[in-house]
Amino acid sequence: MCPLKASVWNQTPDLTVYARCLHEMDRLLSAEEPQAALDLLEATWPGLPDVAPDVRLIEILLFKAYLHAQLGRPREALDVFQSLLRCGLASSLASTAYAAVRDLPEYAEFARANDRALDRAQRDARVELDVHVPDGLFGGAKAPAFLILHGEPGNLVRTRDEWPPRAITARGVIAAYVQSSQLRSAGR
C-alpha cells in the first residue's frame, strides 16, 4: 500500500506542521534519540494535512526509513522504501546509513525495481519553466526578472508555494520558477 495520504490538489493546508515535525525530529536525532524521533513521527503522521504526493511527506517517510536504519531495523527501513516505490517513488540507498538494508536478501530484487524506476524517471525528466508576469506588462516592455530555483529536496510546486508569484509580480518583477531535470527520486 502507498503510504502517501489521499490527495486534494487544490487545497492550501497549513504546512507549518511539517516544519515543526521535521525540526523536532532533527533535534531529537541530533540529541542521539532516534527512537524518540521515530515515536514523534508515528504520533504526528495521522495529523499531517493531506496534500498531493508532496516533497514534505516524502521527506518525512525518508526520515522514517533513516531512523529505522539508525535503530538497527533494516527490514523496517526497507519496508518504507518498498512502500514508496509502490507509489512510484524510487530512492537512493547509497548512504552508509543503509549498509544493513543493502545486506538483506530481498534487497537485490528491490534494487532492480528501484533502478528501473529511477532510469525511467531520469529518461522522462524535463526542465520546466513557469513564468508569471506582472499585470499590465505587455509586448516588449522591460521588467526585472527573479529566477527562482528549488533546492534539494524540492520542486517547482513547493518553491512556488514558498515564494508566491503574486508577492513577486505585485512589485513589478517577473517571477520565473525552474523545475530541474535532475532527480532525487523517481517522483521528482
Side-chain angles (χ1 to χ4, degrees):
M1 181 163 115
C2 178
L4 298 176
K5 297 165 154 267
S7 303
V8 179
W9 283 97
N10 295 324
Q11 72 184 80
T12 310
D14 175 9
L15 298 175
T16 57
V17 68
Y18 291 102
R20 286 193 308 265
C21 181
L22 285 171
H23 176 76
E24 183 61 13
M25 285 191 306
D26 192 43
R27 186 193 69 73
L28 289 167
L29 194 57
S30 295
E32 298 184 14
E33 297 181 47
Q35 184 61 55
L38 184 60
D39 292 344
L40 173 66
L41 186 153
E42 297 291 349
T44 304
W45 182 257
L48 294 177
D50 290 341
V51 292
D54 183 84
V55 173
R56 295 164 190 92
L57 286 175
I58 296 164
E59 260 181 301
I60 288 174
L61 289 168
L62 290 171
F63 207 155
K64 181 178 182 177
Y66 178 78
L67 291 170
H68 278 304
Q70 291 299 300
L71 291 165
R73 301 176 191 155
R75 178 75 217 127
E76 288 86 346
L78 184 58
D79 287 345
V80 174
F81 287 118
Q82 288 172 326
S83 64
L84 284 168
L85 186 58
R86 284 191 295 276
C87 297
L89 300 163
S91 307
S92 171
L93 279 75
S95 167
T96 56
Y98 301 116
V101 175
R102 292 189 299 271
D103 290 341
L104 292 171
E106 58 270 47
Y107 176 76
E109 182 181 337
F110 165 78
R112 285 190 295 277
N114 191 60
D115 289 347
R116 283 192 305 273
L118 281 171
D119 289 345
R120 190 172 42 253
Q122 187 64 61
R123 185 183 61 242
D124 296 341
R126 301 289 179 267
V127 173
E128 296 175 40
L129 184 61
D130 182 25
V131 178
H132 297 259
V133 178
D135 292 338
L137 187 65
F138 299 103
K142 294 183 179 182
F146 185 45
L147 183 63
I148 303 113
L149 305 172
H150 66 79
E152 183 180 348
N155 61 30
L156 183 149
V157 173
R158 181 177 178 182
T159 303
R160 198 173 43 219
D161 289 346
E162 294 168 355
W163 291 84
R166 195 74 201 119
I168 297 166
T169 60
R171 291 171 170 79
V173 176
I174 297 168
Y177 301 85
V178 179
Q179 172 63 55
S180 74
S181 63
Q182 296 298 310
L183 300 177
R184 176 173 189 202
S185 70
R188 271 264 183 216

